[in-house]
Amino acid sequence: STQVNRTVWYVRRVADRPDWFSMADAPLYFAGIEGGASKSECVILNAAGEIIGSSKNDELNQWLIGVPKVVERVNQLVADAKNAAGLPLETPLVSLGISASGADKEEPKQQIAAGVASQPACKADFYHVCTDTFGSIAAGVGPGKAGVVLIAGTGSNCALQNPDGSSGNCGGWGHLFGDEGSGYDIAYTAIKLVFEVSDRYTTCPAGSIDVLRQKMFTYFGVASLQDMLSHFYPTIKKPFFAAFALQVVDACKSGDACAQWVLSQIGSRLGRHVVAVHPDVTEELKTKRLPVICVGSVWKSWVHIKDSFLKETATLPCPVALLQLKGPVAIGAAVLGAALSPHMPAVDYSKNVDVLHETA
């Protein structure tokens, strides 16, 4: 679905706080924070684009911990990163960018930015708050450039950013209605197949379910399909459930045909995300090379999902470059914040990615 101006800013300029600092005669520091549903990270960049300090903390999703806790945690992240950089707590920043899962609605974005602006460690001239998908794109290709991020970790999501600020999205709806191609989806597809074949509701599409069934029993510590119900009700523990994907991948590496079929389905589902957002690419870029930032542990199994993924994306009218980040996603958050200011750290984005695969 196409969305325009999906990334929202909260800006406080230096003129509003003349006591903070003068950019002309002070070192320039840019902070960026990336936060997910399980962990968060902060980096501080200097004008040369070098990371001079970093810190880590727990989850930063406002749907999980609330806006006040997000603000508190952001302040702690910046304070710890300043400490690591040898900077005094009161050292002002040119900008502070926050790229966090759950930061997808206007009101909480404004609340987070306003709350952060009042924190002692977070004095800055420019603030930028957006969802984590756009931070990943910026980390790989830089701000203001066209790109796609395809997240395939515990869950999945895909977002497109155009140079004009318009965007597109596919997925990100959670494990009940989405997460296709994720670790959760690998586990779900394998377990569902074991149940359906055991019930003779369907036949095994390749090989036998024997290996996957035994791995499932061992991983979940059960002796029967009925015993599995205790892991489904009243609620599924999503990270634990999704981690069964590692067992499926292990079976795939060992040559199990059924597990290989599961991974082929995952490749197709991930490829369809890219196909789904491509119509939202601006017209003049539709046939140009499309960089896709690949984030998440599912991409470690590229060899097992490659063929089915490429079969889906072969329908696109443009070459696709699959890129994996070598540096922190928080770099992307930092440069998105910096893009609002008259200054930009000299980040070499080519050194921040590895090419996983590129089509002609």
Side-chain angles (χ1 to χ4, degrees):
S1 58
T2 304
Q3 301 179 29
V4 179
N5 296 325
R6 189 163 179 247
T7 307
V8 178
W9 302 268
Y10 172 91
V11 181
R12 184 186 296 275
R13 297 184 181 278
V14 69
D16 300 326
R17 292 293 300 271
D19 57 307
W20 281 4
F21 76 110
S22 167
M23 288 183 181
D25 57 12
L28 304 180
Y29 301 113
F30 310 83
I33 293 175
E34 182 267 334
S38 58
K39 59 184 178 180
S40 54
E41 183 173 14
C42 175
V43 298
I44 295 179
L45 307 181
N46 60 17
E50 302 164 328
I51 297 175
I52 61 170
S54 64
S55 63
K56 295 183 179 181
N57 210 307
D58 297 327
E59 71 273 10
L60 207 66
N61 187 313
Q62 62 95 12
W63 294 115
L64 297 177
I65 63 176
V67 169
K69 190 66 176 179
V70 168
V71 170
E72 176 187 327
R73 195 156 287 169
V74 165
N75 186 62
Q76 189 62 55
L77 279 160
V78 176
D80 291 346
K82 283 184 174 180
N83 183 61
L87 299 175
L89 183 68
E90 64 274 12
T91 302
L93 304 165
V94 174
S95 57
L96 171 56
I98 301 168
S99 174
S101 64
D104 47 8
K105 296 180 74 69
E106 289 245 4
E107 186 175 355
K109 286 180 183 179
Q110 299 277 2
Q111 292 171 345
I112 291 169
V116 165
S118 69
Q119 297 301 301
C122 300
K123 292 180 180 179
D125 288 324
F126 299 87
Y127 298 91
H128 180 278
V129 181
C130 67
T131 187
D132 56 342
T133 51
F134 296 120
S136 297
I137 297 172
V141 299
K145 302 288 181 64
V148 170
V149 60
L150 183 47
I151 299 172
T154 299
S156 67
N157 195 6
C158 183
L160 161 76
Q161 179 77 59
N162 285 310
D164 64 3
S166 62
S167 60
N169 190 81
C170 177
W173 306 117
H175 69 279
L176 287 180
F177 303 108
D179 280 348
E180 290 86 354
S182 66
Y184 178 91
D185 195 22
I186 294 173
Y188 174 82
T189 301
I191 291 171
K192 189 170 188 289
L193 184 63
V194 169
F195 273 85
E196 291 185 346
V197 173
S198 297
D199 283 347
R200 294 191 296 275
Y201 179 80
T202 189
T203 57
C204 191
S208 162
I209 62 168
D210 291 349
V211 172
L212 288 181
R213 179 169 53 201
Q214 187 54 53
K215 283 186 173 291
M216 182 181 77
F217 286 171
T218 301
Y219 178 82
F220 288 95
V222 300
S224 69
L225 295 180
Q226 286 74 22
D227 293 340
M228 284 291 294
L229 296 178
S230 64
H231 290 283
F232 304 157
Y233 301 100
T235 57
I236 286 177
K237 295 178 181 177
K238 183 177 177 180
F240 176 72
F241 186 92
F244 178 65
L246 295 173
Q247 301 301 312
V248 181
V249 172
D250 183 64
C252 185
K253 290 178 179 177
S254 299
D256 182 69
C258 188
Q260 290 172 345
W261 177 86
V262 171
L263 268 294
S264 74
Q265 301 306 297
I266 297 305
S268 294
R269 293 166 191 172
L270 287 173
R272 285 201 291 272
H273 282 77
V274 181
V275 174
V277 298
H278 184 265
D280 294 326
V281 174
T282 51
E283 200 61 39
E284 66 273 17
L285 297 175
K286 272 189 164 53
T287 59
K288 305 293 185 182
R289 174 181 180 269
L290 182 66
V292 178
I293 311 299
C294 303
V295 177
S297 57
V298 172
W299 296 104
K300 295 177 182 178
S301 300
W302 171 244
V303 66
H304 304 298
I305 64 176
K306 175 181 176 180
D307 290 346
S308 55
F309 180 95
L310 295 178
K311 184 177 180 180
E312 293 291 338
T313 57
T315 61
L316 292 172
C318 64
V320 174
L322 301 181
L323 309 174
Q324 289 187 298
L325 296 176
K326 292 192 289 187
V329 174
I331 292 175
V335 297
L336 285 173
L340 300 178
S341 80
H343 305 275
M344 176 62 68
V347 175
D348 184 346
Y349 298 100
S350 66
K351 293 182 178 179
N352 207 33
V353 294
D354 282 325
V355 178
L356 179 64
H357 185 87
E358 190 154 9
T359 63

